[in-house]
Amino acid sequence: MSDWTWEWEGYTPEGEQLRESLCTLGNGYFAARGAVPECRAGLVHCPGTYVAGCYNRLESTVAGRQVVNEDLVNLPNWLLLRFRVRRDGGEWGAWFTPDTHPVLDHRHTLDLRRGTLTRAFSHQVHGAGVLAVEQTRLVHMGEPHLAALRTVFSAEGWSGEVEVRSGIDGDVINGNVHRYRALERRQLTGVRTGSQDPGTVWLACRTSTSGVEVAMAARTAVTGAAPVTSVFPPTRRRAVHRLVVPLAPGRPVTVEKTVALHTSRDSAIGDPLGAAIDRVATAADFPRLLDSHAAAWERLWRGAEIQVPGRAGHVLRLHLFHLLQTLSPHTADLDVGVPARGLHGEAYRGHVFWDELFVLPYLNLHFPEVSRALLDYRHRRLPRACRTAAEAGRAGAMYPWQSGSDGREESQAWHLNPASGRWLPDHSRLQHHVGSAIAYNVWQYCEATGDTEYLHTKGAEMLLQIARFWADLAAFDPGTGRYRIRGVVGPDEYHDAYPDAARPGLDDNTYTNVTAAWVLVRALEVLRRLPAWRREELCDRIRLDADEPPRWEEVSRLLRVPFHQGVISQFEGYGDLAELDWDGYRARYGSIRRLDRILEAEGDTVNRYQASKQADVLMLGHLFPPAELGRLFARLGHAVDDEVWHRTVDYYLPRTSHGSTLSGLVHGLVLARARRAEAWQYVREALEADVADIQGGTTGEGIHLGAMAGTLDLVQRGLTGLETREDALRFDPVPLPALSEYGFSLRYRGHWGVRVGRRNGQLEIRVPLSEESPLRVVLADRVVTVAPGETCALVVPDS
């Protein structure tokens, strides 16, 4: 295994779901899980294919109630390739599967540099001789509608024939997440199949309610021997090409399967089926597809490569690989958001949450056109967010916690607790802080890119409408002289109500209130920055009354932030909750990451305890540098210095179960500044979260994209203290001994390929030669200017 490859040895059915997720290949338009081609879906395998933004809505009966869910659709399985052999004109053997045929030297190799997955194995044939098989697949990064699978068969010590059935399987369901099995899962209807020479089969269908037309065409060709049989047997829900090919020692046979995929959501096509057939007919052969695919990946790596020594660097490169497969330059042409579990599985139903908060800070400085497209996804749904707010009796924009195709709230009304088997009310839709995340990303994108055109148009519209919502939701309390935001749920998610309360929601969640104040401040700043004519036009368009900005100013200074015992409270009344017997629960259950499920199964509720699923208050330290966070609290009338902040960090550390993969990430970054000695254990957990599947089975349902991207941001922004503001790169490096050496390139405004690295106590900034103006670099104690073509080395302390 090299720095650029990951290998899985042997075959273990219980590990296949995890390996399939980690071996997913994609190109931003679509992705396919790393399932073995000969197996259909079941408890062991899930050969899922997912197109970004392709959703379908179904109604199910759950616990006697009718519920409606929108899901990212598992599309027909284009990988399907079955084979069996016979020796010397004898009987055909059984169709091969690794579950029924003992395999020798079974190995999967994921090549990150070239974006390929290679599988090699062999098995004995009828007790004598060996059949060696090597399969290489790709989902083309240069031509986003193409994928290919090459299979090489080699006979060792025997002669005979191999029968291959290369097909597209339309008999699929959404079956990757077993706890969803009580829901309706058949998303496709109207399956049609057909064939045409030379060697092409096709399958067309549509999603059952959203009406998205889907078409695939597969061209199968054989080299090394002429097929003795080549037919297209009729089947109802599969398109199949059956070939029989002679095999002999020393004469390997190669079967190349090239697939094209189109949907009716695509641009610049007449109809999906015609486009798929035409594209596969004109596609190059496998060697040339592989060359152009590898070249496309090489271009991506040049713009995004990260260098960190050792195991951490190996994992970081895998994280970057999966980020680029989900959100590539092709994403810039699509109407899609950031799916929390990538295009790697069906958990969370493929929905968009707030994970872009952890993704865009990295993309802004590498692929800003992708960031802009992801913000456009939110802007297109701004009218729906305003309508949702109005229906709730509020002004502005109330964005949904879970988004899908059209911007309505997709959060489920009920969720299953696997520990108790009970379906429970789900109040996660009260996480209105998603609006602040969108506003934060608008601001960070514009600061990083200098895209004032976006800030003055779409960005301003979103910022102002989100600010409007917060100002309207905040109610003045004469008793405290403060504005209060009631009935929300914070990032913690465990707490969704007060103990024994009749209604869900909490009051004055600190993260919600502080980020709302930040949004209001930024909205006021945008109004000041706008040219007079644009400000007048925008205010007229959204009907912004003259008395609204003064109210924003007032609310941004008077939002309530609760404290208890000298620390910042997670929400009003948090300090009054009972303490949990953490040691006792760990002794009884081992892992208590999903403490909420454990307590509910016992007939209790986590709402009674000072226990958090993930960082909540501490998220503020993840978003804002210490100086900016201090200014925010000062604006709200509180002196939060290092002592108060460190005391707050110390308070929540032992009261957090880390039930989210984002929790270790946030704690690692925050502790790097607050309690450096303990930071590495959380950073390491964030790095290993998916590779080791630390949540016990969740990664097999899709990788955690926010956590993966967040580890890249942790190096790029967290360890360097990088900020992009006031036309400068600002650094405030954090020494973390386990990650004391790193390097990466970034794209800052007109400068492409700015190199930032730390080694031997020095921070080096190299600006590539160009016609751009010199780059201003700011540290706490100095300001330097680096001209294009120059390198600057700055001494930074290691302690």
Side-chain angles (χ1 to χ4, degrees):
M1 184 164 59
S2 73
D3 290 343
W4 286 92
T5 60
W6 286 75
E7 292 185 356
W8 287 263
E9 298 275 359
Y11 176 76
T12 54
E14 63 275 11
E16 278 295 279
Q17 292 263 336
L18 172 61
R19 187 201 57 75
E20 288 177 2
S21 279
L22 295 177
C23 290
T24 294
L25 297 181
N27 58 25
Y29 171 76
F30 83 102
R33 286 170 58 86
V36 294
E38 65 274 4
C39 291
R40 300 187 68 200
L43 294 177
V44 175
H45 303 286
C46 180
T49 297
Y50 310 100
V51 166
C54 183
Y55 292 98
N56 192 57
R57 195 178 304 278
L58 292 178
E59 184 175 296
S60 306
T61 302
V62 175
R65 299 175 175 86
Q66 297 300 114
V67 298
V68 177
N69 290 297
E70 184 178 69
D71 290 78
L72 186 70
V73 179
N74 180 24
L75 297 179
N77 175 22
W78 63 270
L79 273 171
L80 187 63
L81 190 138
R82 305 182 70 200
F83 65 89
R84 60 180 179 173
V85 299
R86 64 178 175 185
R87 292 184 74 237
D88 303 323
E91 295 293 323
W92 285 105
W95 294 101
F96 171 84
T97 74
D99 300 297
T100 57
H101 293 66
V103 292
L104 310 171
D105 304 319
H106 195 266
R107 178 186 294 109
H108 279 93
T109 303
L110 181 65
D111 185 335
L112 307 184
R113 189 189 295 275
R114 301 202 308 164
T116 60
L117 177 64
T118 298
R119 175 198 188 199
F121 66 94
S122 58
H123 76 95
Q124 287 194 327
V125 177
H126 302 301
V130 170
L131 175 69
V133 181
E134 182 180 89
Q135 295 178 310
T136 301
R137 73 181 70 171
L138 60 88
V139 175
H140 207 285
M141 186 54 81
E143 299 187 45
H145 298 279
L146 290 180
L149 171 68
R150 178 180 64 191
T151 304
V152 180
F153 297 101
S154 300
E156 300 174 6
W158 65 283
S159 296
E161 294 175 322
V162 59
E163 178 181 350
V164 174
R165 294 202 174 190
S166 173
I168 306 170
D169 186 3
D171 191 20
V172 296
I173 62 171
N174 272 44
N176 174 235
V177 182
H178 297 308
R179 64 182 176 278
Y180 296 169
R181 61 188 176 274
L183 304 175
E184 293 295 327
R185 297 184 292 168
R186 189 168 292 279
Q187 309 281 349
L188 301 175
T189 189
V191 176
R192 297 178 292 125
T193 64
S195 62
Q196 66 181 58
D197 287 327
T200 297
V201 296
W202 57 263
L203 183 148
C205 58
R206 68 179 185 277
T207 56
S208 62
T209 60
S210 58
V212 178
E213 297 176 18
V214 179
M216 293 183 183
R219 183 189 73 201
T220 305
V222 177
T223 59
V228 298
T229 302
S230 178
V231 296
F232 305 102
T235 57
R236 184 168 173 266
R237 297 181 68 88
R238 293 188 205 171
V240 177
H241 186 181
R242 176 179 175 267
L243 303 114
V244 177
V245 185
L247 275 180
R251 294 172 55 191
V253 169
T254 300
V255 178
E256 294 182 3
K257 181 179 183 181
T258 306
V259 178
L261 166 58
H262 276 281
T263 81
S264 55
R265 300 181 79 245
D266 298 343
S267 302
I269 63 169
D271 74 281
L273 180 57
I277 293 173
D278 179 66
R279 190 173 294 274
V280 83
T282 57
D285 60 15
F286 189 90
R288 286 186 293 166
L289 283 177
L290 180 58
D291 285 346
S292 57
H293 170 69
W297 266 107
E298 184 180 1
R299 292 191 293 272
L300 278 183
W301 286 121
R302 279 202 299 267
E305 168 61 343
I306 186 168
Q307 294 179 347
V308 173
R311 169 73 176 182
H314 196 213
V315 175
L316 283 164
R317 188 171 284 129
L318 178 70
H319 288 181
L320 179 52
F321 178 73
H322 284 303
L323 173 63
L324 295 177
Q325 292 193 124
T326 308
L327 303 169
S328 79
H330 300 302
T331 306
D333 297 325
L334 305 176
D335 177 34
V336 298
V338 177
R341 303 301 281 272
L343 298 174
H344 297 61
E346 297 161 18
Y348 301 162
R349 298 179 172 82
H351 289 167
V352 176
F353 294 71
W354 70 326
D355 297 72
E356 63 217 67
L357 189 63
F358 301 89
V359 172
L360 263 64
Y362 179 82
L363 291 178
N364 290 340
L365 292 170
H366 297 275
F367 303 100
E369 67 279 4
V370 177
S371 292
R372 181 169 175 149
L374 296 171
L375 293 174
D376 282 347
Y377 168 87
R378 294 297 193 179
H379 182 261
R380 292 186 192 99
R381 287 149 184 81
L382 178 61
R384 184 62 183 250
C386 291
R387 177 176 141 195
T388 303
E391 289 170 350
R394 298 296 174 191
M398 186 169 77
Y399 276 95
W401 175 237
Q402 295 188 36
S403 299
S405 60
D406 61 9
R408 76 182 77 177
E409 177 62 76
E410 300 294 354
S411 297
Q412 57 196 36
W414 298 85
H415 70 269
L416 174 67
N417 179 3
S420 67
R422 287 189 285 266
W423 288 86
L424 309 166
D426 190 318
H427 303 302
S428 60
R429 66 187 60 223
L430 297 177
Q431 293 192 68
H432 300 316
H433 62 83
V434 65
S436 294
I438 295 166
Y440 181 90
N441 280 326
V442 168
W443 188 263
Q444 293 297 325
Y445 162 77
C446 294
E447 287 282 286
T449 62
D451 191 348
T452 54
E453 184 269 339
Y454 197 86
L455 181 63
H456 290 176
T457 54
K458 296 176 181 178
E461 290 178 24
M462 287 186 279
L463 275 166
L464 297 185
Q465 293 287 25
I466 294 167
R468 213 176 200 177
F469 171 74
W470 284 130
D472 189 56
L473 190 62
F476 187 73
D477 177 15
T480 61
R482 291 278 181 173
Y483 283 91
R484 308 189 66 182
I485 295 177
R486 302 178 185 271
V488 301
V489 172
D492 161 39
E493 294 189 309
Y494 271 178
H495 295 91
D496 62 1
Y498 288 101
D500 303 318
R503 295 181 178 178
L506 306 161
D507 300 337
D508 299 322
N509 173 258
T510 290
Y511 175 85
T512 300
N513 286 14
V514 172
T515 56
W518 181 89
V519 171
L520 292 165
V521 172
R522 291 295 173 241
L524 291 166
E525 186 173 344
V526 166
L527 280 176
R528 288 193 296 269
R529 284 191 189 185
L530 286 174
W533 67 269
R534 173 57 184 155
R535 180 168 57 249
E536 182 178 344
E537 178 186 71
L538 179 58
C539 291
D540 180 64
R541 178 177 174 180
I542 68 173
R543 300 181 180 179
L544 185 70
D545 294 333
D547 61 348
E548 290 188 68
R551 175 178 166 83
W552 298 358
E553 177 75 28
E554 182 179 33
V555 174
S556 73
R557 296 182 181 277
L558 294 178
L559 273 168
R560 176 168 168 73
V561 177
F563 286 74
H564 72 278
Q565 298 178 28
V567 304
I568 306 165
S569 297
Q570 184 171 304
F571 52 80
E572 181 64 41
Y574 182 87
D576 298 328
L577 300 178
E579 292 283 9
L580 183 79
D581 179 10
W582 291 89
D583 291 339
Y585 273 91
R586 287 192 178 95
R588 288 163 59 189
Y589 291 98
S591 173
I592 57 170
R593 292 182 185 275
R594 291 311 307 263
L595 183 64
D596 58 333
R597 293 175 174 175
I598 292 172
L599 289 171
E600 193 279 328
E602 292 183 347
D604 204 348
T605 172
V606 74
N607 283 326
R608 295 180 54 231
Y609 301 99
Q610 296 184 40
S612 299
K613 174 183 177 183
Q614 59 187 311
D616 194 304
V617 173
L618 303 194
M619 264 297 300
L620 295 171
H622 176 83
L623 294 184
F624 305 114
E628 185 175 4
L629 188 59
R631 290 193 297 270
L632 264 174
F633 275 103
R635 183 183 183 91
L636 291 166
H638 304 285
V640 175
D641 55 16
D642 286 348
E643 180 182 350
V644 173
W645 180 249
H646 290 182
R647 194 161 58 235
T648 299
V649 172
D650 291 346
Y651 186 86
Y652 288 104
L653 275 178
R655 293 174 171 84
T656 305
S657 73
H658 305 292
S660 165
T661 55
L662 296 171
S663 189
L665 168 71
V666 172
H667 277 77
L669 191 150
V670 169
L671 290 175
R673 292 193 180 276
R675 288 177 60 164
R676 191 175 309 141
E678 297 181 36
W680 174 240
Q681 73 179 82
Y682 293 100
V683 173
R684 183 172 56 197
E685 179 176 298
L687 288 169
E688 298 291 334
D690 275 333
V691 173
D693 195 15
I694 63 172
Q695 290 194 324
T698 64
T699 302
E701 302 166 350
I703 53 97
H704 298 81
L705 190 66
M708 283 190 169
T711 61
L712 303 169
D713 181 48
L714 186 145
V715 174
Q716 177 175 282
R717 183 176 61 94
L719 297 184
T720 64
L722 173 62
E723 295 180 70
T724 54
R725 57 186 173 92
E726 299 172 5
D727 298 325
L729 290 178
R730 296 173 177 268
F731 294 95
D732 183 14
V734 175
L736 191 63
L739 286 175
S740 60
E741 183 179 328
Y742 50 79
F744 54 87
S745 63
L746 53 84
R747 182 171 146 193
Y748 179 64
R749 304 198 172 182
H751 297 280
W752 292 51
V754 176
R755 184 70 183 174
V756 178
R758 177 172 179 151
R759 188 176 183 182
N760 299 328
Q762 285 193 327
L763 187 70
E764 184 178 279
I765 297 98
R766 184 172 72 244
V767 180
L769 192 63
S770 72
E771 298 299 316
E772 294 293 322
S773 301
L775 185 62
R776 201 159 64 96
V777 175
V778 180
L779 274 78
D781 58 348
R782 74 206 98 160
V783 179
V784 298
T785 301
V786 188
E790 292 185 352
T791 299
C792 178
L794 305 168
V795 177
V796 292
D798 284 324
S799 61

